[in-house]
Amino acid sequence: MMSSMLFGAVDWDWGVIAQTLPYLLKASVTTIELAVISIFFGLIIGLVVALMKISHIKVFQIFGQLYTWIFRGIPLLVQLFLIYFGLSAALGIDLDSFVAAIIGISICGGAYIAEIIRSCILSIDPGQMEAALSLGMDRRLAMRKIVIPQTYRRLIPPLGNEFINLIKDTALASTITVTDLLRTAQIYSGSLYKPFEMYVSAAVIYLILITVITLILNYAERRLTKKGF
């Protein structure tokens, strides 16, 4: 009842949806690729920075703290503009918009992921590390074999939330001309003069993507729980 009243009030055009849906779905593939690649590199960056922040080497600690301070403090949109427009203007470095978006989202996401990993590692009982060291392991081996495996189940919920945020953050890539889902909706919104239909369609596709990711993460958490991690 509510939906019919809403669509009636805005003169909903199903023909436009049928016409543009294939293009929106194709653009959503670009959004998925951007999210997956950014999450992959964000995880690598986050793990390295987290290990730096808990390192006993002062230089590594300082670098890790500076990294998270800078890239968590500057809005992602500003970082994208600096990478795509700023590097070109200041240094003559012309990056493809897709590559620039991956770099920006990865380094920003990596700063947040680093804090998540660091807090999960520090939540493990320090006695675990002490026991490993007493058995003759060095700190690096103990971290890889004893401490990090115990963080998996604790990492899934906060990392899942960060992955979802990164997927939504990919929409900002449209501001540097990446032809993702939002950018495609903007293009057809302008050419067909149907902004409501276009943006609602994009919102529904984003919601479906996020729902699928949430279900996968919930499944992974249940599996890890059954395995006793």
Side-chain angles (χ1 to χ4, degrees):
M1 183 67 177
M2 287 291 293
S3 60
S4 62
M5 290 174 61
L6 177 60
F7 292 151
V10 298
D11 191 25
W12 184 264
D13 191 340
W14 288 105
V16 168
I17 302 301
Q19 177 186 349
T20 58
L21 185 59
Y23 302 103
L24 292 174
L25 292 177
K26 183 179 180 181
S28 69
V29 174
T30 301
T31 292
I32 293 169
E33 290 175 347
L34 181 57
V36 170
I37 296 172
S38 298
I39 288 171
F40 174 75
F41 286 113
L43 272 172
I44 294 174
I45 293 170
L47 178 59
V48 171
V49 174
L51 293 177
M52 284 183 169
K53 294 190 73 171
I54 62 176
S55 170
H56 290 281
I57 302 175
K58 195 67 176 177
V59 174
F60 287 171
Q61 290 180 12
I62 294 172
F63 179 85
Q65 290 166 359
L66 281 174
Y67 184 93
T68 53
W69 173 61
I70 292 170
F71 291 109
R72 290 175 70 195
I74 300 174
L76 175 57
L77 184 59
V78 177
Q79 294 181 42
L80 291 175
F81 282 3
L82 283 172
I83 293 168
Y84 186 64
F85 299 113
L87 290 180
S88 177
L91 302 176
I93 300 175
D94 294 318
L95 295 173
D96 177 79
S97 59
F98 187 81
V99 173
I102 288 174
I103 294 172
I105 297 171
S106 297
I107 61 178
C108 183
Y112 288 93
I113 291 172
E115 282 300 289
I116 293 170
I117 294 176
R118 183 190 68 85
S119 62
C120 286
I121 290 175
L122 294 179
S123 71
I124 302 298
D125 184 356
Q128 299 282 337
M129 175 63 77
E130 294 171 4
L133 294 176
S134 68
L135 292 174
M137 292 185 179
D138 59 29
R139 293 189 64 86
R140 187 164 45 185
L141 181 61
M143 185 67 69
R144 188 172 75 249
K145 294 291 187 179
I146 305 298
V147 177
I148 291 180
Q150 295 183 65
T151 66
Y152 292 160
R153 186 157 62 96
R154 302 183 188 190
L155 278 171
I156 290 294
L159 274 183
N161 290 333
E162 183 57 30
F163 291 167
I164 289 170
N165 287 333
L166 285 178
I167 293 171
K168 291 187 288 187
D169 285 344
T170 60
L172 294 175
S174 64
T175 62
I176 58 171
T177 72
V178 175
T179 311
D180 65 341
L181 178 56
L182 179 59
R183 177 66 176 166
T184 302
Q186 289 174 329
I187 292 170
Y188 284 104
S189 169
S191 62
L192 299 175
Y193 302 103
K194 293 290 184 179
F196 189 77
E197 286 89 339
M198 290 297 93
Y199 291 127
V200 167
S201 298
V204 169
I205 295 173
Y206 275 116
L207 183 59
I208 292 171
L209 291 176
I210 296 300
T211 301
V212 171
I213 293 298
T214 301
L215 291 174
I216 292 172
L217 291 169
N218 289 340
Y219 174 77
E221 187 175 3
R222 290 196 301 271
R223 291 283 294 177
L224 287 174
T225 301
K226 287 180 180 179
K227 289 183 178 181
F229 282 105

